[in-house]
Amino acid sequence: MAMQTPANQASGTEENEITLGVGMGPLKFGASMDEVRALMGEPEEIEESEDDDEFEHQAWNYLEEGYSLYFDREDDYRLSCIETDHPGIRLYGEAIHGKTPEEIQELMQRHGHEQSEVEKMDTGEMRLSYEKEMIDMYFDEDQLQFVNFGVFINDDLEVQWPA
């Protein structure tokens, strides 16, 4: 007989589970600001993009939880990108915070994502990017510090909102 996990116990890991192209836990790309507010409450701060920014957006920062949520004006301010340094972040069911670039590349390969790009930043950090999967992972001293991931975009640069 399968063990039943109490719902509240499961949600702790599921709410930090990244689903590529879809979102994280209950946060789904394409959600309106009102839907996000209903799920997350009020952000601790809201940043507006700079005037010379290529994409006009708002960033909602939930500092205590370690999330920044991005809403682009051209997408009618729907949730399109999440950045997080939450220590409980998971990808494909595995905790990834603090993992090495090699461990992450191995995990991605196991799930069919071969094409990665590595860039050394001026600040000494390293970025591991999977362009097709719309995810960037930032490492400091070979440990994953934070992840930035967004809604999928097809070859015609059209946003692919999750169903």
Side-chain angles (χ1 to χ4, degrees):
M1 193 171 116
M3 290 238 334
Q4 292 294 310
T5 312
N8 61 357
Q9 197 181 328
S11 70
T13 54
E14 286 165 16
E15 71 185 25
N16 298 308
E17 177 74 34
I18 294 170
T19 307
L20 295 173
V22 175
M24 184 169 72
L27 284 171
K28 300 281 183 266
F29 294 131
S32 69
M33 289 178 156
D34 288 341
E35 290 168 327
V36 170
R37 192 177 277 117
L39 269 175
M40 299 284 294
E42 286 296 329
E44 287 156 78
E45 64 180 32
I46 295 180
E47 290 177 66
E48 297 280 346
S49 54
E50 304 292 322
D51 290 341
D52 59 357
D53 220 327
E54 193 181 335
F55 298 105
E56 271 186 68
H57 68 271
Q58 271 192 15
W60 287 16
N61 297 323
Y62 294 87
L63 306 171
E64 216 161 279
E65 292 89 349
Y67 303 133
S68 291
L69 309 179
Y70 293 86
F71 302 86
D72 287 341
R73 188 178 68 90
E74 69 177 51
D75 296 326
D76 302 320
Y77 288 109
R78 290 160 74 190
L79 180 63
S80 60
C81 181
I82 298 173
E83 187 170 285
T84 181
D85 64 357
H86 191 287
I89 47 177
R90 304 171 73 79
L91 183 61
Y92 295 114
E94 287 190 33
I96 59 172
H97 196 269
K99 282 200 182 290
T100 66
E102 295 74 27
E103 288 172 316
I104 297 293
Q105 284 171 314
E106 209 173 277
L107 171 66
M108 293 294 279
Q109 274 175 342
R110 282 202 309 272
H111 294 276
H113 311 296
E114 301 285 336
Q115 293 269 283
S116 66
E117 197 176 283
V118 174
E119 185 187 348
K120 201 87 166 124
M121 317 294 281
D122 298 338
T123 50
E125 294 145 347
M126 187 198 112
R127 185 182 76 204
L128 175 62
S129 299
Y130 288 84
E131 198 176 336
K132 202 170 109 253
E133 290 77 15
M134 296 297 292
I135 186 166
D136 292 323
M137 296 174 246
Y138 295 84
F139 298 82
D140 195 15
E141 295 182 1
D142 260 2
Q143 292 192 322
L144 181 65
Q145 298 301 315
F146 70 96
V147 179
N148 181 313
F149 57 103
V151 67
F152 288 164
I153 296 173
N154 70 13
D155 294 339
D156 300 323
L157 301 181
E158 294 165 336
V159 174
Q160 306 297 294
W161 297 113

